[in-house]
């Protein structure tokens, strides 16, 4: 606006010198005012009238067909990006990300870019055979998996404490965060018997089972149980369940008081 006033002042100064110049200056002033009026008032109204806008719909979690239809109905175009992203919340094949974001105002006809969900990321269970229990735990953690129960199994050639296999087996694909059981060798177990898990059972019912297995009852220690189990309930044993033991081994018990 200051520039316009400056130009007008100069033109009026010249107009005082001659009638012809005065007439010319008037026309110049009118043209300047007209240009200013068109630029500041007419063009915004004109462009706003013909450049319609709309709100981008929320497409997250929609299937491919549903997302495309929603965009077309709202007056937008769509483009699927080639690379997807893994997600624990959005199932594979559904819309995970959209640009512009949902709720944004955009010109009708604009292309909204869509990214598909690849679902939960899958990994291959590593081959842990021959590794120690500690090495197996580290390998599973690096693969994004959780070590589950340790299962002891008899094996003539794999040394005691070394991994025999996993459950599920090595090479199988599972989801990130899944639990994998590890089978550990109990060594050569010829002539030995595995000790079952008696936890949660009444000690009176365990005596006969021990005798059948060829074991003997050792020391029995009573302990106040914070979990509120009934008196006489087995809490733990020594040796631990899963161990392969020779006949006549004494089994010590901790039971609820």
């Amino acid at each position: 606006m200051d520039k316009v006033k400056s130009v007008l002042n100069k033109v009026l100064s010249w107009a005082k010198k001659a009638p012809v110049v005065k007439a010319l200056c008037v026309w110049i002033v009118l043209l300047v005012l007209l240009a200013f009026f068109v630029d500041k008032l007419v063009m915004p109204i004109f462009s706003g009238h013909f450049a319609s806008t709309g709100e981008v719909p929320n497409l997250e979690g929609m299937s491919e067909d549903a997302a495309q239809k929603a965009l077309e109905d709202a007056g937008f175009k769509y483009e699927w990006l080639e690379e997807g992203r893994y997600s624990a919340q959005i199932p594979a094949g559904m819309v995970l990300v959209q640009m512009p974001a949902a709720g944004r105002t955009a010109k009708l006809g604009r292309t909204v870019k869509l990214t598909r969900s690849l679902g939960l990321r899958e990994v291959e269970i590593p081959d842990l055979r021959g590794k120690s229990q500690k090495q197996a735990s580290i390998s599973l953690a690096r693969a994004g998996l959780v070590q589950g129960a340790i299962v002891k199994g008899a094996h003539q050639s794999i040394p005691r404490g070394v991994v025999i296999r996993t459950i599920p087996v090595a090479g199988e694909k599972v989801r990130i965060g899944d639990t994998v059981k590890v089978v550990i060798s109990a060594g050569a177990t010829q002539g030995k018997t595995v000790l079952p898990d008696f936890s949660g059972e009444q000690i009176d019912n365990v005596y006969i089972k021990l005798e059948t297995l060829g074991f003997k009852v050792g020391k029995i220690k009573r302990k106040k149980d914070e979990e509120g189990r009934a008196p006489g309930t087995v809490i733990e044993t020594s040796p631990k369940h899963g161990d392969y033991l020779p006949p006549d081994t004494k089994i010590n018990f901790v039971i609820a008081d």
Side-chain angles (χ1 to χ4, degrees):
M1 194 67 184
D2 292 338
K3 291 183 178 180
V4 174
K5 289 180 179 179
S6 178
V7 172
L8 291 175
N9 290 333
K10 290 182 179 179
V11 172
L12 292 173
S13 176
W14 293 337
K16 295 178 181 179
K17 298 179 180 179
V20 176
V21 175
K22 183 177 181 180
L24 182 61
C25 290
V26 171
W27 277 106
I28 292 174
V29 170
L30 292 175
L31 289 174
V32 170
L33 291 175
L34 180 61
F36 178 81
F37 178 78
V38 170
D39 180 62
K40 298 298 180 180
L41 299 176
V42 177
M43 288 303 296
I45 296 174
F46 184 84
S47 60
H49 178 74
F50 288 98
S52 299
T53 58
E55 184 177 304
V56 180
N58 185 8
L59 310 170
E60 183 178 322
M62 283 190 177
S63 66
E64 184 173 327
D65 291 340
Q68 292 173 180
K69 185 177 186 305
L71 285 173
E72 290 173 350
D73 291 345
F76 297 101
K77 298 178 182 179
Y78 59 86
E79 177 187 349
W80 288 95
L81 301 181
E82 292 184 7
E83 294 186 0
R85 296 185 190 177
Y86 293 103
S87 172
Q89 289 78 36
I90 305 300
M94 304 299 184
V95 177
L96 178 62
V97 180
Q98 63 181 83
M99 285 297 293
R104 293 285 299 273
T105 300
K107 291 183 179 179
L108 296 181
R110 178 174 176 176
T111 299
V112 177
K113 297 184 178 181
L114 306 172
T115 301
R116 291 184 182 87
S117 169
L118 298 178
L120 285 171
R121 184 181 177 186
E122 290 187 328
V123 292
E124 192 174 283
I125 296 177
D127 187 1
L128 305 178
R129 183 182 175 88
K131 292 188 176 184
S132 68
Q133 184 177 332
K134 184 177 181 180
Q135 289 172 331
S137 179
I138 293 172
S139 296
L140 288 173
R142 286 177 177 172
L145 300 171
V146 177
Q147 179 182 296
I150 298 296
V151 182
K152 292 187 178 180
H155 205 284
Q156 297 299 317
S157 59
I158 295 180
R160 182 183 179 89
V162 176
V163 177
I164 300 174
R165 58 188 175 86
T166 56
I167 304 172
V169 298
E172 186 172 327
K173 286 191 175 182
V174 293
R175 298 179 299 184
I176 288 285
D178 277 1
T179 299
V180 178
K181 294 181 179 179
V182 179
V183 181
I184 301 291
S185 173
T189 59
Q190 187 173 0
K192 296 181 181 180
T193 304
V194 66
L195 179 65
D197 185 4
F198 292 121
S199 59
E201 295 190 39
Q202 281 291 313
I203 188 66
D204 291 341
N205 299 329
V206 173
Y207 294 142
I208 297 176
K209 294 181 180 179
L210 275 184
E211 185 178 344
T212 303
L213 293 168
F215 300 134
K216 295 182 177 180
V217 178
K219 296 179 181 179
I220 297 179
K221 179 181 178 182
R222 294 182 178 274
K223 177 183 177 182
K224 186 176 181 180
D225 183 30
E226 296 179 355
E227 296 183 14
R229 284 174 282 201
T233 302
V234 176
I235 298 175
E236 60 182 75
T237 60
S238 177
K240 299 291 185 182
H241 66 86
D243 284 349
Y244 283 80
L245 306 170
D248 296 327
T249 298
K250 289 185 177 181
I251 311 299
N252 301 315
F253 291 87
V254 176
I255 64 174
D257 190 3

